[in-house]
Amino acid sequence: MLNRLFDGSLMPHGHCLLWREDLLFLHLSGDALTFISYASIPVALIYMVRKRQDLHINGFFILFATFIAFCGISHAIGILNIWYGYYFIEGLAKFLTGIVSILTAIMFWRLMPTIMAIPSSKLLAQRNEELLIMQRQLREANKELELHSSKLRGQANIDSLTGVNNRRLILKLLTQDIERSARHQRDLSILMIDLDHFKIINDKYGHQMGDRVLSIAARTIVQACRESDLVGRYGGEEFLVILPETNKAAAFELAERIRKQVEQQPREIDILVSCSIGVGYLHKDQDSTALIKEADDALLQAKEMGRNRVV
């Protein structure tokens, strides 16, 4: 073959196949298969560019598709040149293919940093695992935050000294219970409780002892009430108790029980403590202000009658 190549017996264009069937088959089938492959690759690249516009290197893929297309054209002309001498056309196709090839190579090297920055599947899996860990940590942090917020909301509604509902919450609950009782036509009563001579206790024994008396009294009131009753510190030494579905007689009976238990509470401190209680009963079209005033008036009457009693 080497002797034949250099003895000048072949045509200068190098395509004299001597019409041997084996040589003709190899060149024809090789160029045909390459042309078919090169024709399908640009179609796939253009399809990918249209579907994945987020890649930001679509210009490179278009240029690469053009390069592949010109390569396919060169092979197609090579098939024709087995029988026809379209060498100028083949040379022009090869020249254009060379230009597109150079441009493709230049753009490829310029895009190399961008391509290298695309994370590998291993790195993506690692990042995904890190994101899952962060997601779990975030869920746990959210749970802790919700728990903390719930505690803060609870603390905002609780009187820090006595542990019962504070004034804001007990008034809010009273408004809700009044609306519910009016809607369902049910009984509702309230108790306004005031510790007798509390100022004397503060003046004689000090504010720390006064705070202790308030705390013990609040605990005694809660223990004497039912589970459905709501106890709140109305202000100073006054407590407001909401009695849902409770008529006048039942409210008076519960108030008397509270009065006795406050008076007879276990002596944790060597101070006699008593309370006066005013009972208010919800009437038709009565709001919380009017109901509290009714209980307040009854409480004032109890004090004027000598304290340590229920009116």
Side-chain angles (χ1 to χ4, degrees), residues 222-261:
V222 171
Q223 291 173 349
C225 289
R226 304 162 301 185
E227 291 185 2
S228 59
D229 301 332
L230 302 170
V231 181
R233 186 181 179 188
Y234 188 73
E237 67 275 17
E238 288 186 327
F239 296 90
L240 175 63
V241 181
I242 304 173
L243 310 176
E245 301 187 17
T246 305
N247 57 29
K248 292 180 182 180
F252 186 88
E253 182 181 348
L254 177 61
E256 188 61 30
R257 182 166 74 244
I258 293 174
R259 186 194 66 79
K260 290 180 179 179
Q261 290 193 19

Side-chain angles (χ1 to χ4, degrees), residues 21-173:
E21 293 182 358
D22 53 349
L23 292 177
L24 183 63
F25 171 76
L26 292 175
H27 281 270
L28 182 61
S29 60
D31 283 330
L33 291 174
T34 304
F35 171 72
I36 293 172
S37 300
Y38 282 176
S40 64
I41 292 175
V43 175
L45 288 173
I46 293 174
Y47 174 80
M48 182 187 70
V49 166
R50 295 187 63 182
K51 294 295 184 181
R52 291 296 306 273
Q53 297 183 4
D54 59 308
L55 295 176
H56 306 298
I57 53 174
N58 292 339
F60 168 74
F61 288 120
I62 295 295
L63 189 59
F64 188 66
T66 305
F67 160 66
I68 295 296
F70 273 106
C71 290
I73 292 173
S74 298
H75 283 277
I77 297 174
I79 295 175
L80 293 177
N81 282 343
I82 295 178
W83 291 277
Y84 306 100
Y86 298 147
Y87 302 118
F88 181 81
I89 297 176
E90 183 180 14
L92 180 61
K94 287 183 178 180
F95 177 73
L96 294 176
T97 302
I99 293 176
V100 175
S101 301
I102 289 296
L103 294 176
T104 304
I106 293 173
M107 181 174 284
F108 182 71
W109 280 106
R110 291 183 63 182
L111 288 174
M112 188 60 69
T114 303
I115 295 174
M116 295 301 294
I118 297 176
S120 64
S121 57
K122 181 179 180 180
L123 182 59
L124 286 174
Q126 180 181 349
R127 292 288 185 268
N128 186 57
E129 182 64 26
E130 292 174 356
L131 286 174
L132 290 175
I133 294 174
M134 292 177 62
Q135 188 179 32
R136 288 194 294 268
Q137 292 175 344
L138 182 60
R139 283 199 298 266
E140 293 174 359
N142 284 335
K143 289 181 180 178
E144 292 179 1
L145 182 60
E146 290 176 1
L147 181 60
H148 184 62
S149 298
S150 178
K151 289 181 178 179
L152 288 178
R153 286 194 297 269
Q155 292 173 359
N157 293 327
I158 298 299
D159 180 68
S160 59
L161 175 61
T162 60
V164 298
N165 299 311
N166 60 20
R167 179 189 177 97
R168 183 181 63 84
L169 180 59
I170 196 65
L171 291 178
K172 179 181 178 181
L173 295 174

